[in-house]
C-alpha cells in the first residue's frame, strides 16, 4: 500500500475519493506502472542494440569485405551460401550548413544551378484563400513577406556528385560533404 502513496504524492486527489481506493487496485496500479517503466527501458535497450548491429554491418560491408576481396586478387563478385556479393562504388553527400552558400555559388559558376530548388512560401491567415493564388511579385506590394528556401534534394545531390566523380570532373569533397568508397552489396541469389 505504501507504493500507491508514493505514486500519488503531490497529486491532486479529493480526500473522500482516496477512502474508496481498494488495496488490490492500488497494488495492481503500482505493478502496471512499474511494467510500463520496465518496457520503456527494454525499448531503449532494443533500439541501442539495433543501432549497434547496423554499425557493425556497415563496417563489415564498407571496410572488411571490400578489403578482403581486394586482397584475394581484386575479386568484385562472389557467391556464398545462395547469396551474391558484389562490390560497388558508393557516394554519400550532404552539404554542411556553413558551406551551403559557397556550394551554391560554385554550382551557379559552372552552370549546374538547375539542381538547386528554390521554394517561396507565404503564410496566410484564415479567410485569405484568394490572396494565396496571387503572383509572388504581388506579395511584396501587399505587405506580405514570403519565406524563401533554397535546397538540393539529397538524392539529386548524391547523383550529381557521383556523376562528377565518375567523369573525373572538379569537385570539392569537403564543400559537398562527400564520402565515397566501395561497399559490398549482399543479395539472395
Amino acid at each position: 500500500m505504501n507504493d500507491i502513496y508514493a505514486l500519488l504524492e503531490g497529486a491532486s486527489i479529493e480526500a473522500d475519493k482516496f477512502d474508496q481506493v481498494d488495496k488490490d487496485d492500488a497494488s495492481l496500479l503500482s505493478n502496471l506502472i512499474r511494467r510500463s517503466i520496465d518496457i520503456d527501458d527494454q525499448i531503449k535497450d532494443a533500439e541501442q542494440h539495433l543501432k549497434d548491429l547496423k554499425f557493425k554491418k556497415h563496417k563489415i560491408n564498407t571496410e572488411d569485405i571490400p578489403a578482403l576481396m581486394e586482397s584475394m586478387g581484386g575479386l568484385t563478385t562472389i557467391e556464398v551460401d545462395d547469396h551474391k556479393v558484389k562490390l560497388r562504388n558508393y557516394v554519400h553527400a550532404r552539404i554542411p550548413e556553413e558551406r551551403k552558400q559557397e556550394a551554391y555559388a560554385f554550382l551557379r559558376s559552372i552552370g549546374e544551378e538547375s539542381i538547386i530548388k528554390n521554394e517561396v512560401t507565404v503564410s496566410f491567415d484564415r479567410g485569405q484563400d484568394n490572396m494565396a493564388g496571387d503572383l509572388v511579385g504581388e506579395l511584396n506590394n501587399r505587405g506580405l513577406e514570403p519565406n524563401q528556401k533554397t535546397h538540393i534534394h539529397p538524392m539529386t545531390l548524391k547523383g550529381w556528385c557521383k556523376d562528377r566523380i565518375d567523369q573525373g570532373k572538379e569537385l570539392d569533397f569537403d564543400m559537398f560533404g562527400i564520402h565515397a568508397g566501395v561497399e559490398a552489396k549482399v543479395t539472395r541469389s
Side-chain angles (χ1 to χ4, degrees), residues 2 11 21 25 27 39 59 62 93 96 101 151 154 159 166 172 177 179 184:
N2 289 339
V21 173
D25 288 344
S27 179
I39 290 170
K59 183 183 180 308
T62 61
Q101 295 310 314
H151 65 95
D166 290 347
D172 183 332
H179 178 68

Side-chain angles (χ1 to χ4, degrees), residues 95 98-107 172 175-176:
I95 301 171
E98 65 273 7
R99 308 254 346 238
K100 194 179 210 180
Q101 295 310 314
E102 180 184 3
Y104 290 1
F106 172 76
L107 290 168
D172 183 332
M175 181 172 25
F176 289 97

Side-chain angles (χ1 to χ4, degrees), residues 4 15 23 41 55 59 69 75 94-96 103 105 114 117 161:
I4 192 66
K23 289 181 183 182
D41 291 341
F55 176 80
K59 183 183 180 308
M69 288 178 70
L75 288 175
R94 184 169 187 241
I95 301 171
S114 65
K117 304 297 178 209
C161 290

Side-chain angles (χ1 to χ4, degrees), residues 65 69 72 75-87 185-187 189:
I65 293 174
M69 288 178 70
M72 295 171 67
L75 288 175
T76 58
T77 60
I78 191 169
E79 291 207 22
V80 176
D81 298 333
D82 294 327
H83 287 78
K84 184 175 184 177
V85 180
K86 182 177 181 177
L87 296 184
K185 180 71 175 171
V186 181
T187 56
S189 297

